[in-house]
């Protein structure tokens, strides 16, 4: 018999207290070994700090993992980045390939007819390269390849170069190709004490102005032959007053410049022009017996009229 208090449906209600108690006990059982396991992995902060080769960190169990991850990243970085010798080797190979492309091109054949013959007649004893740029750049590799190829005919023993953007790998590449580096930035103010071929493709106009200013005598200018941008194009592309003010030496000597334009890069027959020789020409100065009186006076500072107010005895 059932009592009056029993439920009519015959089901007994089960309270969830026991289940909560079991879940709580499970969490207690799992939480107890956490501390010793963590201690086994990295130890306490004090032990990590005292241990040689490890650093005490707040992240306990992550200290060894982060160290391993960091060393792994460093190894991967070293693998992906070529070392200095590899970069130099790659640059030398690239320049050699471009030199052969030039040698076998119609471009160089035309250059030999209209340019190299004039340089041979000038017979330079030194080649000075300014502003070729970083040898990691394609255009710079083309420019260096060309002057090295030209020098195979000239056989000039002394080739020197400078560019402020040259990296250590560029210096090593130049040296392995037989080109000596100028140790300081001359800003193109080198005096031509001997017949010199200045190779200055795509240099800024102030560098050409510096070169002329440093050699502003008939004797020195007659020792210079220049491969670079056209002086006439510079004048045509600037306001006349601005050009005369900023480039007075170029303006003065312009009427005595003999210029021979380089052939177009299309003769290289490449898929894309390297834009390494655009607006490039060979320029020399005809001054012996042809310079007019005004140029002679300007060239010789000693023959300039003296301002009486500035000529007072000291």
């Amino acid at each position: 018999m059932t009592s009056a208090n029993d439920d009519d449906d015959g089901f007994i209600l089960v309270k969830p207290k026991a289940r909560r108690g079991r879940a709580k006990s499970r969490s207690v059982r799992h939480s107890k070994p956490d501390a010793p396991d963590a201690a086994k992995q990295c130890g306490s902060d004090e032990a990590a700090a005292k241990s040689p080769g490890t650093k005490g960190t707040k992240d306990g169990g992550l200290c060894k993992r982060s160290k391993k991850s960091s060393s792994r990243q460093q190894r991967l970085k070293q693998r992906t980045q070529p070392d200095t010798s590899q970069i130099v080797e790659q640059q030398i190979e690239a320049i050699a390939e471009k030199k052969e492309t030039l040698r076998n091109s119609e471009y160089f054949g035309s250059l030999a007819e209209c340019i190299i013959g004039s340089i041979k007649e000038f017979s330079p004893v030194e080649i000075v390269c300014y502003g070729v740029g970083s040898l990691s750049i394609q255009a710079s590799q083309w420019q260096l390849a060309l002057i090295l190829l030209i020098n195979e005919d000239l056989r000039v023993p002394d080739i020197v170069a400078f560019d402020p953007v040259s990296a250590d790998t560029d210096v090593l590449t130049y040296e392995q190709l037989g080109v000596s580096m100028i140790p300081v930035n001359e800003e193109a103010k080198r005096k031509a004490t001997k017949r010199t071929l200045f190779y200055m493709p795509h240099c800024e106009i102030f560098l050409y102005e510096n070169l002329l200013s440093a050699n502003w005598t008939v004797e020195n200018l007659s020792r210079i032959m220049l491969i670079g941008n056209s002086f006439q194009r510079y004048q045509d592309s600037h306001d006349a007053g601005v050009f005369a003010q900023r480039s007075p030496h170029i303006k003065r000597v312009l009427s005595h410049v003999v210029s021979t334009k380089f052939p177009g890069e299309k003769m290289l027959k490449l898929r894309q022009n390297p834009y390494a020789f655009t607006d490039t020409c060979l320029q020399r100065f005809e001054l012996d017996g042809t310079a007019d009186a005004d140029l002679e006076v300007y060239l010789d500072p000693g023959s300039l009229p003296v301002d009486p107010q500035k000529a007072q005895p000291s």
Side-chain angles (χ1 to χ4, degrees), residues 21-219:
R22 285 195 297 271
K24 185 175 182 180
S25 63
R26 287 175 187 171
S27 64
V28 170
R29 282 198 298 270
H30 284 289
S31 64
K32 284 181 180 179
D34 284 349
D37 286 346
K40 288 179 182 179
Q41 287 182 2
C42 280
S44 63
D45 290 347
E46 294 180 0
K50 293 178 182 178
S51 174
T54 61
K55 294 182 179 180
T57 63
K58 294 181 179 179
D59 293 333
L62 297 178
C63 60
K64 288 185 179 178
R65 294 182 183 178
S66 61
K67 186 175 180 180
K68 289 180 180 179
S69 177
S70 177
S71 61
R72 189 183 299 112
Q73 290 176 358
Q74 290 177 358
R75 288 195 300 270
L76 289 173
K77 189 176 181 180
Q78 290 174 354
R79 290 177 186 174
T80 56
Q81 290 184 350
D83 58 22
T84 298
S85 60
Q86 289 176 324
I87 295 174
V88 172
E89 183 179 354
Q90 290 169 2
Q91 290 182 166
I92 291 175
E93 289 179 356
I95 293 167
E97 290 175 0
K98 290 173 174 60
K99 190 163 71 169
E100 289 307 307
T101 300
L102 285 165
R103 190 196 307 277
N104 299 319
S105 68
E106 294 181 8
Y107 180 90
F108 189 72
S110 176
L111 204 68
E113 294 178 3
C114 62
I115 300 293
I116 297 178
S118 297
I119 301 175
K120 282 184 175 180
E121 185 178 346
F122 176 69
S123 187
V125 295
E126 183 180 45
I127 297 175
V128 178
C129 305
Y130 288 135
V132 171
S134 171
L135 297 182
S136 63
I137 299 174
Q138 293 285 326
S140 299
Q141 294 174 0
W142 281 105
Q143 291 170 354
L144 182 56
L146 179 62
I147 193 61
L148 292 175
L149 184 58
I150 291 174
N151 196 44
E152 288 185 3
D153 283 341
L154 301 178
R155 300 183 184 277
V156 176
D158 296 328
I159 307 180
V160 296
F162 182 85
D163 194 300
V165 304
S166 295
D168 293 340
T169 51
D170 296 334
V171 174
L172 293 173
T173 300
Y174 274 116
E175 291 176 350
Q176 291 197 28
L177 292 173
V179 180
S180 302
M181 297 303 295
I182 300 171
V184 296
N185 188 355
E186 300 175 337
E187 297 180 339
K189 296 177 181 178
R190 173 177 289 226
K191 290 185 181 296
T193 58
K194 48 192 173 184
R195 292 187 309 278
T196 305
L197 174 62
F198 285 91
Y199 187 63
M200 303 172 62
H202 296 175
C203 279
E204 297 289 342
I205 188 172
F206 78 90
L207 292 173
Y208 298 113
E209 179 67 17
N210 287 353
L211 179 65
L212 296 182
S213 177
N215 293 278
W216 202 236
T217 67
V218 173
E219 185 178 12

Side-chain angles (χ1 to χ4, degrees), residues 245-298:
Q245 182 180 7
R246 295 182 178 178
S247 309
H249 296 86
I250 295 177
K251 181 173 177 58
R252 281 279 186 164
V253 81
L254 192 54
S255 60
H256 300 277
V257 173
V258 177
S259 178
T260 306
K261 189 177 180 179
F262 272 39
E265 290 185 352
K266 290 183 178 180
M267 297 183 71
L268 289 169
K269 295 183 177 180
L270 301 173
R271 291 183 178 180
Q272 184 176 359
N273 292 337
Y275 299 104
F277 313 115
T278 52
D279 191 34
T280 301
C281 60
L282 177 70
Q283 297 173 109
R284 66 184 189 275
F285 308 99
E286 286 190 349
L287 298 168
D288 297 338
T290 63
D292 56 26
D294 179 65
L295 183 60
E296 290 288 354
V297 169
Y298 190 81

